[in-house]
């Protein structure tokens, strides 16, 4: 009970800060750096928050996991707080990299902590389900807080609030989380880890899965890069938060029945890769739909619902499909997923901010979303023509787990 309370409280705090910032981060960056600068800053933050832990995960295994969790949270807290000082652009990039690194380290070590502290799979699932609830509660409240602070002109206060959330999460983790001993395994080098990742992605199934995953996260990244800019241009700015809150609430409502349906299809023998493509298709169709109904703001919610349905299908299937690769180490399978996810989402973050700002100035506000839809459909068409194969050797496909943000 103590462990569950500590983890859910820490995740609620970190993601309250995280989701307060994400919907308004492109606008904060664009005001001082322009289109290219905003895209580059989002690229740095996304790469670091998704993949930085891959570079140092071999060393982290030699330290007590609770200490690594606290260290990651403190690094993020310090970097976000320093951003309130309005640093010059090069320093801003460094601080965003540091904040992303702290987020990535904490996300990885939380999973390692659960693996060490909770040996029973059923108990792990209950713990992650509780964490997932905290994440989605934060995702429904955070955008409201962040947009309120921005439209009130309190930019520096937003950075301080986000840093404070991570600082409180670090204190919660240190004071409430029961410790577990360090794994004391042999530290692996970056070259060894990358070699294992290449081995994991060697099979035809894994290469197809990597391509679908990268494409899906490229499209998903538009939610927090291009969409905030689009909404700021097309709807009452005071209502921007409502669209992101609607996304979080829709995922909460849809995840249960969608996961049950996906589980039945997996048990019937449908490849996780096939189902992931369907989820990616829904994500892709949401943005052209929002572009078409630009003149009717309330209909943009229809695009949000389509996106949320795609998210409920796609995001859990990424973990499920990578688990089916049956690598020697599930930990390295997670690293492989992180690398592929980071590649797709980072490129999507950069392209979403820079592409939207560049194209909307010359061709209209919905142009970038129409282009994203076209690119996504072409990519999915090529991947479908490439074919679908099962993992070798086949492994039983577990039911999709709830979405847990990093």
């Amino acid at each position: 009970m103590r462990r569950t309370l500590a983890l859910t409280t820490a995740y609620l705090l970190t993601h309250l800060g995280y989701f307060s910032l994400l919907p308004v981060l492109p606008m904060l960056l664009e005001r001082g750096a322009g289109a290219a600068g905003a895209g580059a800053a989002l690229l740095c933050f996304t790469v670091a928050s998704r993949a930085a832990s891959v570079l140092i995960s071999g060393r982290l295994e030699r330290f007590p996991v609770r200490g690594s969790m606290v260290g990651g949270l403190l690094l993020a807290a310090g970097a976000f707080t320093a951003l309130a000082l309005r640093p010059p652009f090069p320093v801003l990039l460094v601080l965003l990299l540091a904040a992303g690194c702290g987020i990535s380290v904490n996300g990885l070590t939380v999973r390692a902590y659960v693996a060490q502290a909770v040996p029973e799979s059923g108990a792990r699932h209950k713990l992650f389900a509780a964490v997932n609830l905290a994440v989605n509660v934060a995702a429904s409240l955070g955008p409201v807080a962040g947009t309120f602070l921005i439209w009130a002109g309190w930019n520096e206060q937003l950075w301080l609030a986000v840093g404070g959330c991570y600082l409180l999460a670090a204190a919660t983790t240190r004071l409430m989380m029961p410790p577990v001993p360090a794994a004391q395994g042999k530290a692996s080098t970056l070259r060894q880890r990358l070699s294992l990742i290449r081995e994991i992605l060697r099979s035809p199934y894994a290469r197809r899965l990597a391509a679908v995953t990268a494409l899906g996260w490229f499209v998903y990244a538009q939610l927090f890069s291009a969409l905030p800019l689009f909404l700021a241009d097309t709807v009452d700015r005071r209502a921007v938060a409502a669209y992101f809150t609607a996304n979080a609430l829709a995922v909460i409502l849809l995840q249960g029945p969608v996961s049950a349906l996906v589980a039945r299809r997996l048990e019937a023998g449908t490849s996780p890769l096939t189902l992931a493509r369907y989820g990616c298709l829904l994500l892709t169709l949401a943005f052209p739909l929002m572009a078409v109904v630009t003149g009717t703001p309330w209909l943009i919610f229809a695009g949000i619902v389509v996106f949320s349905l795609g998210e409920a299908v796609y995001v859990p299937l990424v973990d499920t499909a990578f688990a089916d690769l049956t690598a020697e180490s599930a930990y390295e399978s997670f690293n492989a997923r992180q690398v592929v996810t980071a590649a797709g989402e980072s490129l999507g973050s950069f392209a979403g901010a820079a592409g939207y700002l560049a194209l909307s100035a010359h061709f209209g506000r919905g142009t970038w979303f129409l282009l994203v839809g076209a690119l996504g459909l072409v990519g999915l068409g090529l991947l479908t023509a490439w074919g679908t194969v099962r993992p070798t050797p086949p492994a039983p496909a577990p039911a999709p787990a709830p979405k847990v943000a990093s």
Side-chain angles (χ1 to χ4, degrees):
M1 181 63 184
R2 177 185 171 192
R3 182 182 297 118
T4 301
L5 180 61
L7 267 180
T8 53
T9 301
Y11 255 74
L12 179 64
L13 288 167
T14 57
H15 286 76
L16 184 60
Y18 186 75
F19 287 113
S20 295
L21 182 63
L22 275 195
V24 297
L25 183 57
M27 291 173 279
L28 282 174
L29 297 173
E30 187 268 336
R31 290 174 185 176
L42 283 173
L43 174 67
C44 290
F45 181 65
T46 306
V47 168
S49 61
R50 287 296 184 185
S53 60
V54 175
L55 302 177
I56 60 174
S57 58
R59 299 291 175 184
L60 288 174
E61 294 181 65
R62 299 183 63 85
F63 295 96
V65 66
R66 187 183 66 173
S68 297
M69 292 163 64
V70 173
L73 292 169
L74 289 176
L75 177 60
F80 282 129
T81 301
L83 284 164
L85 300 175
R86 295 188 180 183
F89 186 71
V91 178
L92 179 144
L93 289 181
V94 172
L95 290 173
L96 285 175
L97 282 170
C101 183
I103 291 170
S104 181
V105 167
N106 181 65
L108 177 65
T109 51
V110 164
R111 290 171 173 86
Y113 179 92
V114 174
Q116 291 183 44
V118 186
E120 302 85 8
S121 60
R124 286 182 188 174
H125 178 77
K126 290 180 181 178
L127 185 54
F128 278 125
V131 168
N132 181 62
L133 178 61
V135 169
N136 281 288
V137 169
S140 64
L141 298 175
V144 178
T147 52
F148 171 78
L149 290 172
I150 289 300
W151 305 140
W154 296 341
N155 296 5
E156 290 76 22
Q157 285 83 347
L158 174 59
W159 291 117
L160 292 173
V162 175
C165 286
Y166 278 85
L167 183 60
L168 287 173
T172 299
T173 300
R174 179 64 182 84
L175 297 174
M176 296 179 60
M177 195 83 71
V180 295
Q184 295 299 329
K186 181 180 179 182
S188 59
T189 65
L190 177 60
R191 177 177 293 183
Q192 289 171 331
R193 292 194 298 279
L194 292 178
S195 177
L196 285 171
I197 290 171
R198 283 196 300 270
E199 198 63 33
I200 290 169
L201 299 178
R202 187 180 296 276
S203 73
Y205 176 86
R207 290 196 294 270
R208 288 164 171 80
L209 174 60
V212 171
T213 300
L215 176 61
W217 283 107
F218 176 92
V219 177
Y220 183 93
Q222 309 308 310
L223 181 68
F224 292 115
S225 57
L227 184 61
L229 299 168
F230 173 77
L231 292 174
D233 286 343
T234 55
V235 304
D236 186 336
R237 294 195 168 199
R238 294 169 296 182
V240 167
Y243 294 87
F244 293 97
T245 298
N247 166 242
L249 294 175
V251 172
I252 291 172
L253 293 174
L254 291 169
Q255 191 67 73
V258 166
S259 292
L261 177 61
V262 168
R264 287 197 294 271
R265 298 310 308 158
L266 291 172
E267 291 170 0
T270 305
S271 167
L273 179 56
T274 299
L275 296 173
R277 286 204 304 247
Y278 294 152
C280 188
L281 176 62
L282 289 168
L283 294 175
T284 299
L285 293 176
F287 291 103
L289 175 59
M290 285 186 273
V292 169
V293 299
T294 299
T296 312
W298 67 271
L299 280 177
I300 295 176
F301 282 108
I304 295 293
V305 172
V306 173
F307 182 92
S308 302
L309 179 60
E311 183 179 349
V313 174
Y314 174 80
V315 174
L317 274 167
V318 171
D319 286 325
T320 301
F322 271 91
D324 277 355
L325 296 182
T326 61
E328 292 181 5
S329 166
Y331 178 78
E332 296 303 338
S333 272
F334 175 75
N335 274 342
R337 182 187 72 85
Q338 287 296 86
V339 169
V340 175
T341 298
E345 191 173 7
S346 302
L347 181 58
S349 294
F350 172 79
Y356 175 81
L357 290 170
L359 293 181
S360 63
H362 298 93
F363 304 105
R365 294 166 178 167
T367 306
W368 173 249
F369 285 171
L370 294 174
L371 180 59
V372 168
L375 291 174
L377 290 174
V378 169
L380 284 170
L382 293 174
L383 290 171
T384 301
W386 193 5
T388 300
V389 294
R390 296 289 302 182
T392 305
K403 177 188 74 171
V404 176
S406 60

